[in-house]
Amino acid sequence: QVQLVESGGGLVQAGGSLRLSCAASGDVSRYYTMAWFRQPPGKEREFVATFRRSDLSTYYADSVKGRFTISRDIAKNTVYLQMNSLKPEDTAVYYCAFDNSRLITSSVRVGENYDYWGQGTQVTVSS
């Protein structure tokens, strides 16, 4: 079993920044994949970014590329999502997702491939 604890989020004006964090604990392997997804109000969940522990790869959704950065503290099994130049359309509940395996590149953007999910944290960007 793996437990995820998310923190961060909140209300920010457009153009501002926020940082989310997600710490994994429990039976964490050395080959995990950890990601961020979000669900805007009234919309379906969508992929944001992912970090793959096995080769330190990162992947981003086109909508956040250049504005968001996923980073990690491997010793703490923690990933961060630094969100800059926030836009009102970034408003969503952000979820941390975790899988204890090395997901192949074509799979990292699919939420169903992750076994564990955080509780979600609200990010609201005002215009």
Side-chain angles (χ1 to χ4, degrees):
Q1 288 291 321
V2 172
Q3 295 76 44
L4 302 176
V5 177
E6 298 179 24
S7 62
L11 173 64
V12 66
Q13 289 188 332
S17 298
L18 284 172
R19 190 176 85 153
L20 307 181
S21 65
C22 178
S25 62
D27 189 19
V28 178
S29 78
R30 296 177 58 189
Y31 306 101
Y32 64 80
T33 307
M34 191 178 289
W36 291 97
F37 288 77
R38 68 186 181 187
Q39 186 164 17
K43 297 184 179 181
E44 294 191 352
R45 184 180 64 196
E46 61 186 29
F47 168 77
V48 177
T50 196
F51 165 69
R52 192 164 57 194
R53 168 69 178 88
S54 59
D55 58 2
L56 308 183
S57 297
T58 57
Y59 301 91
Y60 296 92
D62 289 343
S63 59
V64 307
K65 202 172 293 183
R67 299 188 299 122
F68 291 13
T69 302
I70 189 168
S71 61
R72 73 284 180 181
D73 184 330
I74 292 176
K76 296 181 179 180
N77 290 326
T78 298
V79 295
Y80 306 94
L81 185 68
Q82 179 66 43
M83 304 183 292
N84 298 329
S85 302
L86 282 161
K87 305 175 181 179
E89 51 264 41
D90 294 317
T91 295
V93 178
Y94 283 70
Y95 295 93
C96 176
F98 180 95
D99 192 84
N100 238 342
S101 68
R102 180 192 182 279
L103 294 180
I104 60 175
T105 303
S106 59
S107 298
V108 300
R109 300 169 188 264
V110 180
E112 285 74 15
N113 291 325
Y114 293 83
D115 289 334
Y116 300 95
W117 291 82
Q119 76 277 13
T121 185
Q122 177 69 46
V123 171
T124 302
V125 184
S126 63
S127 57

